[in-house]
Amino acid sequence: MADDGAVTVYNGSITTTDAMTQNPFSIKVGLAQMLRNGAIIEVTNPDQAKIAESAGASCIVVSDPFQPGRISRMPDPSLVKEIKNTVSIPIMAKSRVGHFVESQILESVGVDYIDESEVLSVADEENFVNKHNFRVPFVCGCKDLGEAMRRIREGAAMIRSQGDLTGSGNIVETIRSVRKVMGDIRVLTNLDEDEVFAFSKKISAPYDIVAQTKQMGRLPVVHFAAGGIATPADAALMMQLGCDGVFIGQEVFRCSDPYKRARAIVEAVRNYNDPHVLAETSCGLEEDMAGLNLDSVEQLGTLGTY
């Protein structure tokens, strides 16, 4: 594999095929792996960032508050700097798809991760950012295995299976995306070596990433879920389906006790296989969850949240 930044696996270790000195892909993959078994919470101000940190979030995503009728862009760099000075956990910020200059700005202000987010207005309809040109790890969304592998080839160090992004609490689309990715991986791992070429062509994915995924039995980068995850049970479900963690949107702060909700979801991610802990963390949240129903989609449909 002669392409720059190509991922190669030897004895279960992820390395790169060339000694890139400034932004080795293996280092970025390792930085993303530090977020495994954690919840990443979206915030819009320093107060929310403090709540997310105290609740045990492994990382926070900084985004601008939603404003109707305007193009959604990367967050104000001054907001990123303010939040960076407020909390000690890693910080992620969103840039528009294909807008490499926004990504350059976010890298320069010191974010730990960049989310090339489909939630924001699309800047380039044809091209994603060449993420190998950056030192900072990138996160990209997907709805199927082929899309995930194309983003990895572009340099994404974390993949996010995404579903409903309206903040409605509807998890069905997220489950569909996660099961599609996991199901295709199971099909791939059972293929003969000769069949992998046709499979990679079928899903429009780079052959080397497909072969690598077959060897590992999973995506070669961290795989999170996003969209409609509103309860501890939702978060635990994503983990039991095979995800490495979850994204939680701004709706976690639209309740009487944001800390309690955020903490409950964080604990559910950490103890996703323990029904007793999940039952304990789910107690007393029904009132806060009452507003997150499909009936609210019309009101929440314009909100760009995970």
Side-chain angles (χ1 to χ4, degrees):
M1 296 185 293
D3 294 340
D4 287 348
V7 189
T8 313
V9 178
Y10 296 107
N11 297 324
S13 300
I14 300 177
T15 62
T16 51
T17 55
D18 58 348
M20 298 165 60
T21 58
Q22 193 168 7
N23 58 342
F25 186 68
S26 59
I27 296 298
K28 291 186 280 189
V29 170
L31 291 171
Q33 287 176 343
M34 294 172 62
L35 303 180
R36 290 183 67 182
N37 298 316
I40 300 175
I41 300 179
E42 183 178 5
V43 303
T44 59
N45 58 60
D47 290 337
Q48 291 181 355
K50 291 178 182 177
I51 293 173
E53 181 180 34
S54 62
S58 61
C59 179
I60 56 175
V61 185
V62 180
S63 63
D64 274 336
F66 172 74
Q67 298 181 24
R70 69 183 280 270
I71 295 294
S72 53
R73 301 181 174 89
M74 71 172 185
D76 189 321
S78 64
L79 175 63
V80 176
K81 291 179 180 179
E82 184 180 4
I83 292 178
K84 185 176 175 64
N85 292 330
T86 301
V87 298
S88 59
I89 59 177
I91 292 177
M92 184 183 297
K94 299 178 184 178
S95 68
R96 284 180 280 176
V97 169
H99 205 312
F100 54 85
V101 174
E102 283 190 350
S103 300
Q104 292 170 357
I105 292 171
L106 293 175
E107 183 177 59
S108 71
V109 299
V111 300
D112 300 288
Y113 305 90
I114 296 175
D115 180 359
E116 189 175 10
S117 177
E118 298 85 348
V119 172
L120 306 182
S121 302
V122 176
D124 192 328
E125 295 179 335
E126 300 293 333
N127 305 289
F128 281 72
V129 172
N130 181 357
K131 292 161 274 288
H132 292 293
N133 291 335
F134 293 81
R135 298 185 304 276
V136 175
F138 271 72
V139 182
C140 287
C142 79
K143 291 191 174 182
D144 56 54
L145 184 59
E147 187 177 12
M149 291 179 172
R150 292 192 294 274
R151 300 292 84 82
I152 294 171
R153 162 53 65 227
E154 295 162 358
M158 177 191 290
I159 291 297
R160 179 187 64 244
S161 282
Q162 61 194 34
D164 177 44
L165 302 177
T166 64
S168 67
N170 181 16
I171 201 171
V172 64
E173 291 185 26
T174 310
I175 293 176
R176 185 184 301 123
S177 297
V178 171
R179 284 196 179 275
K180 176 64 175 171
V181 171
M182 297 303 182
D184 285 346
I185 290 176
R186 286 192 292 271
V187 170
L188 172 61
T189 56
N190 288 312
L191 293 178
D192 291 336
E193 295 295 335
D194 294 342
E195 297 174 318
V196 177
F197 294 96
F199 184 85
S200 63
K201 182 178 180 180
K202 178 181 178 181
I203 65 173
S204 301
Y207 169 76
D208 59 332
I209 306 296
V210 175
Q212 190 177 335
T213 300
K214 173 178 170 58
Q215 179 183 354
M216 296 181 70
R218 57 156 293 149
L219 286 174
V221 301
V222 177
H223 179 202
F224 274 50
I229 301 170
T231 69
D234 292 341
L237 175 61
M238 294 296 99
M239 299 297 290
Q240 290 192 30
L241 287 175
C243 292
D244 298 309
V246 298
F247 281 81
I248 307 300
Q250 295 177 26
E251 63 267 22
V252 74
F253 296 103
R254 296 200 298 268
C255 68
S256 59
D257 192 347
Y259 171 82
K260 182 179 180 180
R261 278 184 62 189
R263 183 64 184 175
I265 294 175
V266 168
E267 286 299 314
V269 171
R270 293 174 178 173
N271 302 278
Y272 62 90
N273 272 326
D274 190 333
H276 299 289
V277 174
L278 296 178
E280 185 67 27
T281 58
S282 298
C283 290
L285 297 178
E286 184 175 352
E287 178 183 355
D288 289 338
M289 298 297 148
L292 295 177
N293 297 316
L294 288 179
D295 295 339
S296 306
V297 170
E298 184 176 350
Q299 292 90 342
L300 299 175
T302 53
L303 289 178
T305 56
Y306 289 111

